[in-house]
Amino acid sequence: MSLTASSRVAKRAILARLNRVKLPPIEKETLSYPRWKTQDEQLLTQRFIAGLSANHAEVICVNSTEIAATLTQVLTSKAYKSVVLGCACDETLSDSAANECTAYHCEKGEFYAEILAGARHCDLLQFDSVVEDFKSRLFNEVDAGITHCFGGIADTGTLVLWPDRAEPRTLSLIPPCHIALIKRSTIVSNFAGMMSEQAWQEKMPTNIVLVSGPSKTADIQQTLAYGAHGPSQLIVILVEDR
Amino acid sequence: MRIYPAKPKTVYFYGTCLVDMFDPEAGLDAISLLEQQGLEVIFIEKQTCCGQPAYSSGYTKEAKLVAQNQMDLFVDPWPVIVLSGSCGGMMHHHYRRLYQGDSAQATVEKFCNRVFELTEFLVNVCRIKLEDKGDATSVVMHTSCAARREMNVHVTATQLLNQLQNVELKIPAYESECCGFGGTFAVRHPHISQAMVEDKTRHLSETKAAVLVSADWGCLLNINGAFEYQGQSLKGRHIASFLLERIGGK
Amino acid sequence: MNHSSKGPEHFHSQAKAALGDPQLRQNFRGAMDYLQDKRKSAFHDPVEEEKIRDLSEAIRQRCLSKLPQLLELLDTNCTRNGIEVHWAENSDEANDIIARIAQRHEAKLIIKGKSMVSEEIELNHEMAKLGIECLESDMGEYIVQLDGDKPSHIIMPAIHKNKQEVSDTFEHHLDNFTPTLDVDELIQTGRTRLRQKFYDADIGLSGVNFAVAETGSLCLVENEGNGRMCTTVPKVHIAITGIEKVVEFLSDVPPLYSALTRSATGQAITTYFNIISSPRKSGERDGPLEVHLVLLDNGRTQAYQDADMRKTLQCIRCGACMNHCPVYTRVGGHAYGTVYPGPIGQIISPHLMGLDKTKELVTASSFCGACAEVCPVRIPIPDILQRLRTAAKNPPEADMIPMTGQASAASTLESLAMKGFAFAATTPTLYHAGTWSATKLKGLMPDNIGPWTQCRTSPKFADNTLHQLIKTRNKKKGETS
């Protein structure tokens, strides 16, 4: 039997067994649970930074004029030589239809000039081809990957990434260090609120990733160790844009 | 949270089969405590066992027979005071489950709702005030799991002990952990049960308390048996006897 | 040391062996103390804890009440998103599906993120028969796989080992490894050895924490990043999950996710939360070119038939029940001989494997209720265990569909004894005669009454029963008044 045919048989049998139980569908509950919330921008930022810091991320607050210098300082202090970035000011991208390029940053290439300036002393790789052609360098040559963020969640100290063609998924995953730029104005109180206010369910992209620190594990004798399989360092550059 | 009735004039007393056979004095002591609260205490001669042994072994039908038989004995709408959190849990919580979807469900619910464990009744219904007349001593308490998690009465038992001015209450490590009794569990899985009761007795004796009290004779059979086997002098007694003694009622 | 077990039929001997291993017991006690503390601090506000548990329970019950409809919607929406959906009634079918996908791609290496369902179908073993290597990449799973062993906990698979034992495992199985007790070094060893494997693997396989029907999305919860690697780097991603993992709305995810991480490891949030809604789209530069979702029944529809047992399917696999179980704490995960150990394992395994194989497991609980007290979706585990005990001892009621292995623990002797008990307890004269003679003939009580007296003295009957004392007391009262 073909894969689809046997799957269809299984589907019919499973659903038949489930449907044998006549259950009245339960209406959506009216319950809620306490979610951390604030209108106070200072509190919001404080909690965001505290959460990330508690989870071993480094957070640096800057205004937009300081990005380049800060980046240079970070890269120099860590002695990073090779850095990979997306193709945020790829001309072909900004011409593409808006719905094809869901991203929040790629059309404008926000802070792109600053990033280029800040990392000018490093080998700069641009993630501008499919991963198959880029994989070897990504795995073997790169010290850090730089991305923007879709937003931030203050409650838990979380970066929200919507990887896309301009800034692919592996950019924040494979290099040993992930440097993330996040705008102050994109930080909201909590995850549930962000999801519902922005109606994510109507426009789910290929992939969404929430990042709340460098990769870690406590699998050996409950001892926390960083740098399991993802980046061992997460550096967040928080840009004041208000 | 349970809503408690106003203090009645009369209550039924449910001794439980373990107290009946192993510590009947505790039954009398509990009755005295209730009588001192001005209550008329009715002991129905025909009461036997709540049916928990059959229930927890998977013999639901047999358990239901026993449950029905016991419930039929308590015809008047008075509270039924049970001398064990575990049996109380059976009668308050599991009798309902036995009658789920049964035509008698509503009647059974009514019965379940008038089942109270002794300490919760003394605290929440009688609002008892204890005057400690004993010498200074220290006590450690073991609460059965059913009493704790089905009846939430570790709180009331603690409140009673805390009313005793000359009694220092010691808290053992792993206080809320099971002693390993579990009825037939202790016999079906003797090695696991042994590991549990050995830990429990160690934690209790490490408090160096002079007295061990509990409101459950199931756990006390287990814990006292283990203490005696180990040659230790600590011996648990029913909280009712301890309380009565402290207020000079004995 | 390999702790692997022969199966749940051997629970007694496996438990006994575990109890006799002081190092193992220390490892589990230490780990459970740690996890209990972590959970406690994550729910420092009891009001908040109750509210999130109420909501989580309600969400899971709502989703289960519409399970067939939601599964069809999930299928439709995943397919629309370009995810290929496959249905499997049992392990054989699930393995067949994965094998055929692997063969279509001439795959030699499957790199795996954490998936208990893949353990359930013994994927690694089945693929090995076809010459396909499955490599575990979760650090704990990797250690366990090197040992040729199985996970002893659903969240922390290598929890039965301390760092010395992990170093020993590495020394035994890895070339050029210098023994160390430095956990960072041990982890870096795992990272380095596995990195090339992510690069080389033809297929990445993962589990699913929540499958969202509304959007056709798969949610994965993790800390290590291996889950992201498995679902991003290889050209093909296969996700496998039980049919119960579907939720209705995307908005159901945040509360369940919070309940999960706080209950499991006491984390407010995990390092990564990964929502996958489609394979790589045209123009995108990475991500798998194919995404497959395998939906597995394997006995879950049996649990669904019964109102009590259906609650088993509310589980979100946090492991809090085992972390708080006094039995699990002492015997560890391997003793159960099932993929899912501890309380949740005791109530799900009878559906996956049959009551005949698991009848000893359903008795291995003192009904202490610690599991239900912490369950984030409020599964009444002891009540369900009681139902399973009944099903193991008795034939089904007239209107019930029999469970696999129903009545396999039926014992004529015990059944007679229980009938005798019920008769005595409903016949006061007989009961009184029994208790009276127990107290009067207590001198005849043997000192050795089987397993009870291996660590306790025999119970001491009183001189008189309460019934007798009250009679005397009432008589006295009558005389004085």
Side-chain angles (χ1 to χ4, degrees), chain C residues 1 3 130 204 261 265 285 376 462:
Chain C
M1 190 165 138
H3 296 286
L130 304 171
T261 62
T265 49
R285 280 158 183 169

Side-chain angles (χ1 to χ4, degrees), chain A residues 162-185:
Chain A
W162 281 34
D164 60 6
R165 56 190 292 181
E167 291 192 346
R169 304 185 203 189
T170 45
L171 191 57
S172 63
L173 176 64
I174 294 174
C177 174
H178 173 203
I179 300 173
L181 272 79
I182 180 165
K183 290 189 284 183
R184 227 314 269 116
S185 62

Side-chain angles (χ1 to χ4, degrees), chain A residues 97-188:
Chain A
N99 63 348
E100 211 183 305
C101 185
T102 47
Y104 35 93
H105 48 68
C106 66
E107 294 114 315
K108 294 182 195 115
E110 201 164 18
F111 309 135
Y112 202 70
E114 288 88 340
I115 295 170
L116 286 177
R120 66 186 175 282
H121 66 286
C122 294
D123 289 338
L124 273 178
L125 292 172
Q126 207 172 48
F127 203 140
D128 55 3
S129 55
V130 290
V131 71
E132 286 73 18
D133 299 335
F134 197 62
K135 202 164 141 189
S136 168
R137 302 178 75 186
L138 199 57
F139 266 85
N140 302 314
E141 294 173 19
V142 174
D143 295 318
I146 304 178
T147 73
H148 293 74
C149 292
F150 174 81
I153 299 164
D155 179 19
T156 46
T158 301
L159 308 174
V160 181
L161 307 182
W162 281 34
D164 60 6
R165 56 190 292 181
E167 291 192 346
R169 304 185 203 189
T170 45
L171 191 57
S172 63
L173 176 64
I174 294 174
C177 174
H178 173 203
I179 300 173
L181 272 79
I182 180 165
K183 290 189 284 183
R184 227 314 269 116
S185 62
T186 63
I187 300 172
V188 301

Side-chain angles (χ1 to χ4, degrees), chain B residues 13-16 19-20 23-31 34 80-88 116-119 214-217 238-241, chain C residues 466:
Chain B
F13 184 74
Y14 199 81
T16 80
V19 164
D20 199 18
D23 191 10
E25 289 293 335
L28 292 185
D29 294 342
I31 291 173
L34 290 164
V80 181
I81 313 307
V82 185
L83 203 46
S84 144
S86 177
C87 312
F116 300 90
E117 188 263 357
L118 175 72
T119 66
S214 178
D216 264 283
W217 251 94
H238 200 281
I239 193 170
S241 302
Chain C
L466 178 61

Side-chain angles (χ1 to χ4, degrees), chain B residues 72-142:
Chain B
D72 288 347
L73 299 174
F74 302 95
V75 283
D76 286 304
W78 305 323
V80 181
I81 313 307
V82 185
L83 203 46
S84 144
S86 177
C87 312
M90 178 70 195
M91 298 167 87
H92 177 67
H93 178 73
H94 295 291
Y95 276 15
R96 288 173 221 269
R97 289 197 68 235
L98 287 170
Y99 285 81
Q100 240 167 37
D102 192 296
S103 57
Q105 193 175 346
T107 323
V108 172
E109 291 273 346
K110 269 190 205 147
F111 174 81
C112 294
N113 288 338
R114 60 188 170 98
V115 171
F116 300 90
E117 188 263 357
L118 175 72
T119 66
E120 75 168 330
F121 190 78
L122 288 175
V123 170
N124 291 324
V125 181
C126 302
R127 302 187 182 277
I128 192 170
K129 292 279 170 284
L130 300 171
E131 194 192 332
D132 192 0
K133 293 179 181 159
D135 296 333
T137 188
S138 60
V139 63
V140 62
M141 180 175 65
H142 172 74

Side-chain angles (χ1 to χ4, degrees), chain B residues 8-248:
Chain B
K9 286 200 171 62
T10 311
V11 295
Y12 285 119
F13 184 74
Y14 199 81
T16 80
C17 59
L18 290 180
V19 164
D20 199 18
M21 288 186 284
F22 297 104
D23 191 10
E25 289 293 335
L28 292 185
D29 294 342
I31 291 173
S32 299
L33 279 173
L34 290 164
E35 285 176 345
Q36 286 186 9
Q37 294 303 304
L39 295 162
E40 184 192 11
V41 181
I42 307 291
F43 182 83
I44 301 283
E45 172 74 7
K46 283 181 174 169
Q47 63 181 271
T48 58
C49 165
C50 65
Q52 194 180 50
Y55 180 77
S56 63
S57 303
Y59 291 88
T60 313
K61 236 183 275 169
E62 288 75 7
K64 198 168 169 179
L65 269 177
V66 179
Q68 187 63 58
N69 184 275
Q70 298 301 295
M71 286 189 289
D72 288 347
L73 299 174
F74 302 95
V75 283
D76 286 304
W78 305 323
V80 181
I81 313 307
V82 185
L83 203 46
S84 144
S86 177
C87 312
M90 178 70 195
M91 298 167 87
H92 177 67
H93 178 73
H94 295 291
Y95 276 15
R96 288 173 221 269
R97 289 197 68 235
L98 287 170
Y99 285 81
Q100 240 167 37
D102 192 296
S103 57
Q105 193 175 346
T107 323
V108 172
E109 291 273 346
K110 269 190 205 147
F111 174 81
C112 294
N113 288 338
R114 60 188 170 98
V115 171
F116 300 90
E117 188 263 357
L118 175 72
T119 66
E120 75 168 330
F121 190 78
L122 288 175
V123 170
N124 291 324
V125 181
C126 302
R127 302 187 182 277
I128 192 170
K129 292 279 170 284
L130 300 171
E131 194 192 332
D132 192 0
K133 293 179 181 159
D135 296 333
T137 188
S138 60
V139 63
V140 62
M141 180 175 65
H142 172 74
T143 308
S144 82
C145 298
R148 177 182 297 279
R149 303 198 172 91
E150 287 173 358
M151 301 296 282
N152 203 36
V153 297
H154 52 300
V155 181
T156 47
T158 308
Q159 282 170 2
L160 290 174
L161 293 172
N162 281 340
Q163 285 191 25
L164 301 171
Q165 274 199 324
N166 299 325
V167 172
E168 183 196 357
L169 180 61
K170 305 260 195 182
I171 307 297
Y174 300 99
E175 188 193 13
S176 63
E177 201 174 72
C178 175
C179 70
F181 178 58
T184 50
F185 169 78
V187 186
R188 264 187 227 277
H189 297 279
H191 296 96
I192 305 173
S193 175
Q194 176 176 352
M196 289 163 72
V197 76
E198 284 172 355
D199 285 346
K200 181 54 74 185
T201 46
R202 193 176 64 252
H203 297 140
L204 289 171
S205 55
E206 275 169 2
T207 63
K208 303 260 191 318
V211 184
L212 165 66
V213 296
S214 178
D216 264 283
W217 251 94
C219 306
L220 283 182
L221 274 186
N222 182 38
I223 293 170
N224 282 350
F227 271 140
E228 194 176 67
Y229 184 92
Q230 296 159 12
Q232 297 209 50
S233 58
L234 195 58
K235 190 175 170 189
R237 50 193 306 211
H238 200 281
I239 193 170
S241 302
F242 181 72
L243 293 176
L244 190 67
E245 193 178 285
R246 295 301 300 187
I247 61 173

Side-chain angles (χ1 to χ4, degrees), chain C residues 14 18 175 276 284 326 385 411 418 436:
Chain C
Q14 286 156 190
D175 296 332
I276 297 162
E284 288 177 347
L385 271 176
S411 139
M418 282 302 167
W436 182 85

